[in-house]
Amino acid sequence: MRLREAAGLTQAAIAQALGVRVPSITAWEAGRAEPKGERLEAYRRLLDGLAHRYPQPASPPDSNPGFPPSPPPLPAPSRPGLAGTGPQSMPVDAKPGVMQRSGHAARPARTGTPLSRRPTGKAAGPVSVETDDDLRFENGPLAVIDVDTDGQVLAYCVGGLVLDVPSKSIPALVDWILKEAKLGQPKLSGPGKDADPLLVLTPSALERYGLPVALTEEERLAGRLPEGHKVIRQLARAEWKLTKRGFGPWARIYRPAQGSERMCVQLCIPSWNALDTRHWGHAAQLAPAELARLLGTFASRVMTPRGSTAVTGLELMTAFHPPTRASEPGADGKRHSEHNPGSLGKDPVDCAPCEAPDGHPLLKDLPRFHVRGPGEKLFEEAYDWARPMTDAECTLRHLVGIDVNMAFAAGANGLAVGLGAPTHVKNPVFDPKLPGSWLVDLSHVDLSRVKAGKDKWADLDASLLPSPFTPKGERPEGPAWYATPTVAYAQELGYDVRPIEAYVRRDNGRYLDGWYNRLRDAYLATMADLGVGADLSPADFLTAMDGYRQRDPELAIVVSAVKATVKGGLGKLRERPRGEGWKPGQPWRALSRPTWRPDIRAAVISRTRINLHRKIVKHAAFTGQYPVAVLSDCVVYAADGESPLDFLPYRDGKPLPGGFKLGVNPGLVKWEGTQSVLWGEGVREQFDAPELNLARYIKDGTVTDADNGE
């Protein structure tokens, strides 16, 4: 505690840096608990670094022990030896993070002691914890490179820091970044790797360095500049290399690593559509300082972006479980690379035939136009189910949609998934703790009578409920392939299951826990910054959520990017061919990754769908209310009022145990939207679709012909 307070750090800052919750830090400082594993190592490094900076002063004999000594002042960030080449900070305007320059005479001369200015306010980035190790990256994980009106190239970093860039070409810029800019991010796990610096090039920077502001149609389709471009030739002459994806919106420029030292820089080019507007909103149009703040917040809370949000989501999984680690020293005192327990390893494994998507090489011997049915193909997908409204529901006034927060992240929390190759077994005994794919007949499960507790059964109207076993909510008609969470739920409902065969993974673990915790904490921290805390009452939560995006539009973009990182990362686990001249039966590029694991994706989706169905059943058994439509993580109910509080059964502020609960945490629900029952019936009549899924349009009520295939 002394070291933390001496450094002026809060428990929340320490917790965020170590990827834990504040109560854990409180318990560690009080001696009630201690960190374990990788967190113990990280916490020890932090304390050692702080102890070096803030040693315990010896009290003179006449000092009063009742008053703690004042911490020594922080040393200036002086780095001698860089005369003539070091980055310079520039004067800032009264508006934090915005450059003000009256002319060349106002520019500070390069003295070899780079100055830094970290203004408070909106431009300042999130709190970070610095240790001795972090001094390598003291200027943050990334920089936005821009050219001001005077023609000076500037690097906008997190916290409002602005560096003067001396480089006149892309090769020189990369060299300067690696040698002097002190950009990057420490690794997230013990055997992992530090994140490479990320440079975001604005249109003015692209022009300065001889790059096009926008790609031509041919270049956009190829996803890269042509090999003969002059900048690519410059890089080749300077002995820099590009990865196989070339010089595109997310280019990686590197030289082969020298021992443990990596030499790699990643470029992000927003005007080449590097920041997808579906997930990053208007980020590409932001001023450099604001873009640095936005991306820096995402980097500090999730990780430095490695490409699209989908790529970043997948890389985050690997960052917590790198495929290899250094062994213990051998007889000769040397270490070697070995498998890292709990990871997916460095070599890809074949999926089970039932888990393979259509066109996979495992299925090349099937007849050309063969369509696999449920007994041949694992089909675990999110809900897309709706039903006609009953007469009683038509007498109500409103349709109210509720949406599960971070539903797929919550589905990954604590889930055991396979780490290695599957084992084929015949007539197995089902084990709910064993990850795998099971061929089993669940057509006998009757939702009109389900187990609602120990020796307690509930009677329901099964015609008003979706089946938990199919994405369309239809009752299965015979044996089908299911992931473990789906079969386990059939047992939970009180029914016997007898698999015919299975592909099980005996080597398994909670591979996604660190990934989930990181994304959960990033989401909660950013929502708290937007005024939506985790301890609000239901009514206060609904009030706080009203217009939260307008309180800080840039932070709202971070929330969207975090959500997209969850869904995109899971989607990458079963990435399909993307052109490349692929033909059915041939392998495609993604299959060469150890992280191509359709079984893990299926298990997460299965558990997410089951979690939602469990809440629906609890709600129906207690209130007699049934959903009108379900789409992925959104559920629509008919109600007399416009608010979720008009139909969710709260008693004295407490929700139904096991049912829906309003709140910001992953797995809890928020209000999605409200429309009138007349609107719902009118839309279905307009398109002559009694089972049109109204959950798709409940948010704003807008329905177009294109949505319905017309």
Side-chain angles (χ1 to χ4, degrees):
M1 182 186 297
R2 181 191 72 81
L3 293 172
R4 176 176 58 76
E5 292 178 347
L9 299 170
T10 64
Q11 288 184 334
I14 300 290
Q16 179 181 323
L18 297 177
V20 298
R21 296 190 175 190
V22 172
S24 297
I25 302 298
T26 304
W28 297 351
E29 292 182 348
R32 298 194 303 271
E34 63 180 26
K36 297 180 181 179
E38 296 173 357
R39 287 198 176 97
L40 174 61
E41 180 183 349
Y43 193 45
R44 184 180 290 121
R45 277 203 316 271
L46 170 64
L47 295 180
D48 288 346
L50 293 178
H52 179 72
R53 297 178 79 176
Y54 307 106
Q56 178 72 52
S59 299
D62 58 347
S63 66
N64 185 346
F67 293 91
S70 300
L74 287 175
S78 171
R79 296 192 295 275
L82 302 180
T85 59
Q88 305 289 323
S89 73
M90 310 308 298
V92 292
D93 190 21
K95 183 179 179 182
V98 178
M99 181 67 60
Q100 180 185 35
R101 187 172 299 189
S102 57
H104 290 279
R107 187 180 306 156
R110 297 179 184 171
T111 62
T113 305
L115 306 175
S116 66
R117 186 178 302 250
R118 300 181 182 273
T120 59
K122 184 175 180 180
V127 176
S128 63
V129 178
E130 292 186 1
T131 68
D132 284 352
D133 288 339
D134 292 331
L135 293 179
R136 297 170 300 152
F137 312 125
E138 62 180 331
N139 291 333
L142 55 88
V144 178
I145 308 298
D146 189 51
V147 181
D148 70 359
T149 54
D150 293 337
Q152 175 62 40
V153 182
L154 305 172
Y156 291 80
C157 306
V158 297
L161 175 68
V162 183
L163 305 178
D164 195 350
V165 181
S167 311
K168 299 186 181 301
S169 67
I170 289 293
L173 176 64
V174 172
D175 195 60
W176 176 79
I177 287 295
L178 290 172
K179 291 182 178 179
E180 300 175 32
K182 300 219 169 197
L183 293 175
Q185 189 175 36
K187 58 189 177 182
L188 292 176
S189 68
K193 298 177 181 178
D194 297 327
D196 299 317
L198 174 65
L199 299 185
V200 184
L201 302 182
T202 66
S204 62
L206 293 173
E207 292 180 339
R208 167 60 63 91
Y209 290 119
L211 292 165
V213 172
L215 297 177
T216 65
E217 182 66 16
E218 183 179 354
E219 292 167 347
R220 187 186 64 79
L221 292 174
R224 65 183 72 189
L225 292 178
E227 293 297 323
H229 193 278
K230 64 178 182 179
V231 171
I232 297 179
R233 295 200 305 269
Q234 289 173 0
L235 290 168
R237 285 195 298 269
E239 299 183 344
W240 289 105
K241 299 179 180 294
L242 292 165
T243 58
K244 289 183 179 179
R245 61 184 174 186
F247 204 118
W250 290 94
R252 297 190 70 79
I253 304 172
Y254 73 98
R255 286 179 181 146
Q258 302 290 332
S260 61
E261 183 181 359
R262 289 168 56 83
M263 299 187 67
C264 182
V265 170
Q266 179 155 325
L267 303 184
C268 168
I269 306 179
S271 65
W272 295 4
N273 298 319
L275 300 176
D276 191 326
T277 55
R278 294 173 299 174
H279 314 313
W280 292 102
H282 63 280
Q285 281 72 51
L286 291 175
E290 293 174 341
L291 182 56
R293 171 185 178 252
L294 187 158
L295 293 176
T297 302
F298 181 89
S300 68
R301 293 178 176 176
V302 181
M303 71 181 303
T304 304
R306 294 290 302 273
S308 67
T309 50
V311 170
T312 301
L314 197 67
E315 291 287 342
L316 185 63
M317 297 179 195
T318 305
F320 279 105
H321 294 283
T324 60
R325 67 178 183 181
S327 68
E328 293 297 324
D332 57 358
K334 295 183 179 179
R335 300 175 185 266
H336 62 273
S337 177
E338 66 178 13
H339 173 72
N340 183 28
S343 75
L344 299 181
K346 62 180 181 179
D347 298 317
V349 297
D350 283 336
C351 62
C354 63
E355 298 163 353
D358 294 338
H360 191 279
L362 288 175
L363 310 175
K364 63 182 179 181
D365 294 331
L366 288 178
R368 184 176 180 184
F369 297 107
H370 178 74
V371 178
R372 294 186 294 161
E376 299 172 279
K377 180 180 180 180
L378 177 70
F379 192 65
E380 294 283 12
E381 298 294 341
Y383 267 129
D384 185 355
W385 170 88
R387 62 170 176 83
M389 283 185 275
T390 65
D391 291 343
E393 288 167 340
C394 288
T395 64
L396 302 176
R397 299 174 58 193
H398 300 287
L399 294 171
V400 184
I402 53 177
D403 182 81
V404 181
N405 296 316
M406 300 271 284
F408 294 99
N413 182 27
L415 177 65
V417 299
L419 301 177
T423 300
H424 186 219
V425 291
K426 289 282 191 178
N427 300 315
V429 176
F430 176 68
D431 182 353
K433 296 182 180 179
L434 186 60
S437 300
W438 310 78
L439 180 62
V440 58
D441 189 351
L442 299 180
S443 60
H444 64 289
V445 177
D446 184 4
L447 292 180
S448 62
R449 185 167 176 76
V450 298
K451 205 168 185 179
K454 187 177 181 180
D455 301 326
K456 183 180 180 181
W457 291 75
D459 294 321
L460 304 172
D461 187 343
S463 67
L464 302 180
L465 285 172
S467 167
F469 308 127
T470 61
K472 290 293 185 181
E474 301 163 344
R475 186 168 179 168
E477 298 178 350
W481 286 98
Y482 303 101
T484 296
T486 303
V487 186
Y489 186 57
Q491 272 192 340
E492 180 185 325
L493 293 176
Y495 292 88
D496 188 32
V497 294
R498 297 181 180 178
I500 301 168
E501 61 177 308
Y503 288 89
V504 297
R505 288 173 168 83
R506 305 193 190 282
D507 178 16
N508 58 75
R510 292 166 58 162
Y511 174 74
L512 296 172
D513 274 9
W515 179 82
Y516 162 76
N517 289 333
R518 183 78 172 177
L519 290 165
R520 174 204 63 200
D521 292 347
Y523 175 73
L524 292 179
T526 312
M527 290 299 290
D529 289 343
L530 289 166
V532 186
D535 56 352
L536 297 175
S537 68
D540 290 342
F541 168 71
L542 291 175
T543 300
M545 287 293 292
D546 186 20
Y548 78 93
R549 291 183 172 275
Q550 282 67 51
R551 292 172 200 147
D552 190 327
E554 282 73 50
L555 278 182
I557 292 175
V558 175
V559 172
S560 297
V562 170
K563 292 179 179 180
T565 302
V566 172
K567 291 187 176 181
L570 293 173
K572 276 281 186 181
L573 292 170
R574 199 190 69 156
E575 184 177 359
R576 302 303 307 277
R578 304 175 66 183
E580 307 167 4
W582 175 81
K583 295 181 180 179
Q586 296 179 345
W588 57 92
R589 184 182 302 175
L591 299 186
S592 64
R593 296 194 320 250
T595 50
W596 192 84
R597 292 295 301 273
D599 57 297
I600 296 179
R601 173 187 177 273
V604 173
I605 293 177
S606 163
R607 194 167 188 238
T608 302
R609 193 182 66 245
I610 294 306
N611 285 347
L612 184 59
H613 194 274
R614 186 181 290 111
K615 289 179 171 63
I616 290 171
V617 167
K618 291 277 187 183
H619 186 86
F622 187 80
T623 66
Q625 298 170 333
Y626 295 84
V628 171
V630 185
L631 181 68
S632 188
D633 47 9
C634 177
V635 188
V636 176
Y637 284 91
D640 264 330
E642 299 182 7
S643 166
L645 289 175
D646 292 318
F647 69 92
L648 293 182
Y650 276 86
R651 287 185 175 179
D652 300 324
K654 296 182 179 180
L656 172 68
F660 296 109
K661 177 183 178 181
L662 289 166
V664 72
N665 283 286
L668 305 189
V669 300
K670 64 179 182 294
W671 175 63
E672 179 70 3
T674 298
Q675 305 297 330
S676 69
V677 168
L678 290 177
W679 165 86
E681 288 297 278
V683 167
R684 286 177 165 177
E685 183 177 345
Q686 175 185 350
F687 293 103
D688 192 22
E691 296 182 1
L692 181 71
N693 196 328
L694 299 175
R696 183 171 280 110
Y697 318 108
I698 195 70
K699 190 165 190 174
D700 60 11
T702 302
V703 186
T704 65
D705 290 346
D707 292 329
N708 299 281
E710 297 186 12

